[in-house]
Amino acid sequence: MFSPLQQKLSTIVAGALLCIPYAAQPLPAAADYGDPSVAAQLHLEAINRARANPQAEAQRLGLSSPSEGGVNISNTPQPPLAMNALLTQSAQGHSDDMAQQNYFNHTAQDGRTPFDRMQAAGYRFASAAENIAATSYGSDITERSLLMYKDLFIDANVSNRGHRVNILSSTYTEIGIGLANGKFLSYNGTYLTTDFARPINAQPQVLGVVYADKNGDGAYSAGEALSGVTVTAQETSASTQTASAGGYSLPLSNGDYSLVFSHPTLGRTERRISIAGQNLKVDILHSDFTATSPTPVTQNATLEPNGTSFTLSLPFVAVINSSGGTDYWQAQLRWDGSAFVLDGNPQQRSDQPATPTHAAQLFTTGGQTLVFLPQVKFGTQILSALLSFSQNRFIVSQAQSL
């Protein structure tokens, strides 16, 4: 059950002339990828796969060509679409509304059109379109997202194949995708809204997804996202991070760039790219990263005189987290004449020591919290020590030269 809808400036839509004066449109805000769901990211990856090779996608889905069904759609590859937070806000709001009120229409129950919703979200478009879908098939929202993409691309029994036209249109540069579970007719189902648009004063973007190909299928799948990866164009100050579903986008002017992907534990990888007036997709795999190690000189704890006191610096303190893994912290202790006390707040580190056995270890045994220092530099000496922790004071329980 689907319905395509398209709109351009001064275009007849459903028999009515809709004219939006260009001068009345405020400039759009800077592109914001937002934090789309995994189901939305999956849908976008399918759309961008189709745009990269329309003929191959048509054949993959059982069609002879993108034009099957009597519509004139080019086999020419189209630039990828970038996720936009404002469009996603519009799309998600409409899917939520349909799911909550159990209706299926581009026009909301309060009379708002897709273009009203996009503008209300703060998006200023030069052209826009919308696809909607709903299904009760599939086991979960991620599977349904891909099932609805397939149905929208095939567009069976839709005379003008309007959904497929939107998916493969060269007009649009950005997209918002929203999915919501709810009653579909009398069944438990999922609603989908995809809002396509080109903003006023559109700027090219590099975009993609960073993931670990756990199932080895060569494509992004649910559960494979790598979030928190920093993406930086070295020639500019432009930088962003991958969202929770692994996707990212970064607006760039035309030119050549070194695009660096970095992560505290994964390491880094770099790609040379050229931006030439249109969006460019750059995906990165977990296996592409080269791990980086911290400088070994900062590995050991150090005990240094500080006036009439001493400062004990702990660059790495290993702490077992709730998942059974190890987090590393850094802390500084100050001798107050009878014990060590924290000098400032401990900070969690995003890296790990090159020699983990040199890191201090915080653990609890017999109801007592202890900190074991396997190696402490004190002048020319190397010591080991055991500190007991009580009431914010670290008492030296044992110490010996190594």
Side-chain angles (χ1 to χ4, degrees), residues 40-98:
Q41 188 69 45
L42 282 167
H43 200 87
L44 175 60
E45 293 307 303
I47 286 176
N48 281 336
R49 179 186 63 213
R51 292 173 68 87
N53 194 332
Q55 179 63 35
E57 186 70 0
Q59 293 177 339
R60 191 184 73 85
L61 296 178
L63 305 178
S64 60
S65 76
S67 297
E68 183 170 312
V71 62
N72 184 23
I73 300 178
S74 172
N75 288 336
T76 303
Q78 299 300 331
L81 301 177
M83 195 76 80
N84 180 276
L86 298 179
L87 289 176
T88 294
Q89 178 183 333
S90 171
Q92 187 63 56
H94 190 55
S95 291
D96 289 340
D97 192 49
M98 289 191 293

Side-chain angles (χ1 to χ4, degrees), residues 94-261:
H94 190 55
S95 291
D96 289 340
D97 192 49
M98 289 191 293
Q100 291 164 8
Q101 302 196 57
N102 195 4
Y103 73 95
F104 185 78
N105 201 300
H106 286 289
T107 302
Q109 300 286 63
D110 60 7
R112 290 184 303 155
T113 69
F115 317 111
D116 295 331
R117 289 186 272 104
M118 293 180 207
Q119 289 179 319
Y123 192 92
R124 300 297 175 252
F125 54 82
S127 55
E130 181 175 272
N131 287 349
I132 59 174
T135 187
S136 58
Y137 292 100
S139 59
D140 58 33
I141 197 168
T142 56
E143 183 181 1
R144 288 171 177 174
S145 176
L146 293 178
L147 287 173
M148 287 186 281
Y149 159 75
K150 178 181 178 181
D151 287 340
L152 287 165
F153 189 95
I154 294 173
D155 236 4
N157 302 318
V158 177
S159 59
N160 64 356
R161 304 298 192 265
H163 304 102
R164 194 192 311 160
V165 170
N166 285 344
I167 290 170
L168 298 176
S169 174
S170 62
T171 300
Y172 311 117
T173 61
E174 296 184 332
I175 191 172
I177 302 172
L179 297 103
N181 290 328
K183 282 293 182 182
F184 171 51
L185 301 177
S186 59
Y187 304 97
N188 292 323
T190 299
Y191 291 82
L192 165 74
T193 304
T194 53
D195 285 342
F196 303 81
R198 174 185 291 272
I200 294 172
N201 294 347
Q203 183 180 5
Q205 300 180 58
V206 60
L207 61 107
V209 65
V210 182
Y211 66 103
D213 190 14
K214 297 177 182 178
N215 58 14
D217 66 352
Y220 172 84
S221 303
E224 295 183 343
L226 295 177
S227 61
V229 175
T230 299
V231 186
T232 305
Q234 283 193 317
E235 291 77 5
T236 73
S237 59
S239 180
T240 189
Q241 282 197 332
T242 55
S244 59
Y248 75 93
S249 69
L250 188 64
L252 293 172
S253 301
N254 290 344
D256 298 329
Y257 299 91
S258 293
L259 200 64
V260 176
F261 298 80

